[in-house]
Amino acid sequence: MDGFDRIPDALVLFIFNSVSDIKTLIRCRAVSKRFNSLVPHTESLLLKVDRVVSSESGNTDAALLTFLRSILKSLHNLLLPKPHPIQTRSLLNSPAQILRGFEKIKNLEIELPSGDLKLEKKAVVMWRAEFGSTLRSCIIFGFREIRTSQSPMTRIPADFFDVDFAGGLKLRVVWTISALIAASARHYLLKEVVKEHGELERVVLKDREGEGTVVMDKEGLREFAEGAEPQVSDNTEGMAAAQDGLVGGEAEGEGGWERNNGGRTTVPSVRMRMRHMQKLELKGGAWMDGATLVMVRPTSSNKTVEEDEVDKMDAELALEAFGGGVYGEAVQSLLNTRGYLLEMNSF
């Protein structure tokens, strides 16, 4: 017997789970009949998308059919003549079809090539959203620019902070709505995968640029799979509807987001706690312009939880999402500032 054949299946599967990358695992299937039979039992998978093509029509299927077009060519050439469960027909243009040959997925991570938001030069907006059948929470952190020093020409007037909060509220609300639209569109893309893989315990959909992350835990996945079909909205009207429903400030004006005509999950009525510092001093003498932290939760959630406890939960989520390095330093400073409450209707 070949010494390699003495390695138990459990150990081989442990290695496959550590590899996780779907392209690499498909290559592993070509090694031997044994590998070909074991790969479909991999529990932890990473699907890297090389290119996303936006749909030009309003057809949901069209959006899914273009979702993974770029990786199909390389994957097709790697398939065995007679592949076991992962058949050639399963490697079409949607995540659900690619994953149908895997039988026991518990942890799934999908990585998109880029973010969805269109921002002004040097501006950065990052977000992390948790979903069940609908939005549970979303933490948004953004800033306009990081300066290495503050020149004499940009000295801040004494009353500038109060004036800027009112004047810059429109931009920060646009950032928030744009992030919520991007998160709900990504959540919608996962619905077919979640419904077909009841064994899933955690799903993460992120992008290579680190802009946004959608997370669904075991409870949220069960809720999504067992619940009713998610309400679907057209992104074209999302910004206008949200602006009309804003309480506490104007949000009209141009938005910056990438429309997905294939649809998205409806964002419920939400409550937002916004913290902002026009000039946030960082270690080493650098300055962060327009630093903003927004915690978003549905208005229907945590009604029985004390306000202080909700703030504590939000702070933990923010530090978990953006903690470490200069971003973590900025988030910690923002958490120590006064927050402003805003409410927004469903859109």
Side-chain angles (χ1 to χ4, degrees):
M1 179 182 293
D2 189 298
F4 193 77
D5 290 334
R6 297 175 183 268
I7 300 176
D9 288 351
L11 181 55
V12 175
L13 285 171
F14 176 81
I15 295 172
F16 286 164
N17 285 323
S18 299
V19 171
S20 74
D21 179 66
I22 286 181
K23 288 184 181 180
T24 303
L25 290 172
I26 290 178
R27 292 187 179 98
C28 290
R29 293 181 55 233
V31 172
S32 66
K33 291 182 179 179
R34 184 186 181 201
F35 275 25
N36 185 49
S37 65
L38 288 176
V39 164
H41 298 278
T42 307
E43 296 180 347
S44 297
L45 294 177
L46 168 62
L47 178 57
K48 293 183 179 180
V49 182
D50 297 323
R51 184 166 60 96
V52 175
V53 181
S54 298
S55 172
E56 294 296 330
S57 68
N59 191 326
T60 300
D61 292 335
L64 292 174
L65 287 175
T66 57
F67 184 59
L68 296 176
R69 186 185 303 272
S70 60
I71 67 171
L72 301 182
K73 192 171 182 179
S74 60
L75 293 178
H76 177 76
N77 295 330
L78 295 171
L79 297 176
L80 294 175
K82 295 182 180 180
H84 169 235
I86 308 179
Q87 300 178 8
T88 303
R89 62 181 175 84
S90 71
L91 289 173
L92 298 177
N93 295 337
S94 83
Q97 289 170 319
I98 288 178
L99 296 169
R100 276 174 191 154
F102 292 90
E103 303 168 0
K104 298 181 179 181
I105 309 173
K106 291 186 177 180
N107 300 295
L108 174 63
E109 184 173 317
I110 299 177
E111 185 181 88
L112 303 177
S114 61
D116 305 304
L117 306 184
K118 302 299 182 184
L119 305 169
E120 61 185 292
K121 187 178 180 181
K122 297 185 179 181
V124 173
V125 174
M126 298 180 293
W127 53 268
R128 183 182 188 275
E130 294 189 4
F131 279 86
S133 60
T134 187
L135 181 71
R136 289 181 167 184
S137 68
C138 186
I139 307 296
I140 303 162
F141 169 64
F143 57 89
R144 302 188 68 170
E145 185 180 1
I146 293 182
R147 301 177 185 272
T148 55
S149 63
Q150 188 180 25
S151 65
M153 295 183 64
T154 58
R155 295 294 181 186
I156 306 170
D159 63 345
F160 184 77
F161 295 102
D162 294 333
V163 173
D164 177 73
F165 185 83
L169 178 62
K170 179 174 67 175
L171 175 63
R172 292 190 287 277
V173 171
V174 168
W175 284 356
T176 301
I177 296 173
S178 299
L180 290 173
I181 288 175
S184 62
R186 292 189 187 185
H187 177 251
Y188 181 77
L189 286 174
L190 291 172
K191 69 184 184 73
E192 189 177 1
V193 172
V194 172
K195 290 185 179 297
E196 291 187 3
H197 295 274
E199 68 281 358
L200 279 168
E201 296 181 357
R202 181 175 174 83
V203 174
V204 176
L205 177 54
K206 62 181 185 179
D207 60 86
R208 227 161 285 164
E209 295 177 349
E211 177 190 281
T213 303
V214 168
V215 178
M216 299 180 72
D217 60 16
K218 188 173 183 179
E219 181 182 348
L221 288 163
R222 179 177 55 80
E223 176 187 304
F224 192 30
E226 296 177 357
E229 282 290 314
Q231 293 179 305
V232 179
S233 297
D234 186 334
N235 285 346
T236 305
E237 301 177 357
M239 180 67 80
Q243 291 169 352
D244 291 341
L246 180 67
V247 178
E250 295 183 355
E252 59 183 302
E254 296 182 356
W257 69 94
E258 197 167 70
R259 291 181 180 178
N260 178 351
N261 294 329
R264 58 177 176 80
T265 306
T266 297
V267 177
S269 298
V270 295
R271 180 182 173 198
M272 307 181 296
R273 183 177 292 276
M274 183 180 293
R275 292 177 168 87
H276 173 73
M277 295 180 68
Q278 175 59 21
K279 295 288 183 181
L280 193 161
E281 186 174 6
L282 303 169
K283 294 178 181 177
W287 292 82
M288 184 176 287
D289 290 348
T292 303
L293 181 66
V294 186
M295 285 85 147
V296 182
R297 287 186 182 274
T299 53
S300 59
S301 67
N302 298 317
K303 286 187 175 181
T304 60
V305 181
E306 294 293 332
E307 189 72 26
D308 290 345
E309 187 63 26
V310 174
D311 287 345
K312 182 179 179 181
M313 293 165 56
D314 287 343
E316 291 175 353
L317 283 175
L319 291 172
E320 178 185 349
F322 310 117
V326 65
Y327 294 160
E329 180 188 348
V331 167
Q332 186 62 67
S333 297
L334 287 165
L335 288 170
N336 295 328
T337 64
R338 176 187 175 189
Y340 296 83
L341 286 176
L342 301 171
E343 290 187 357
M344 190 158 52
N345 292 335
S346 175
F347 62 95

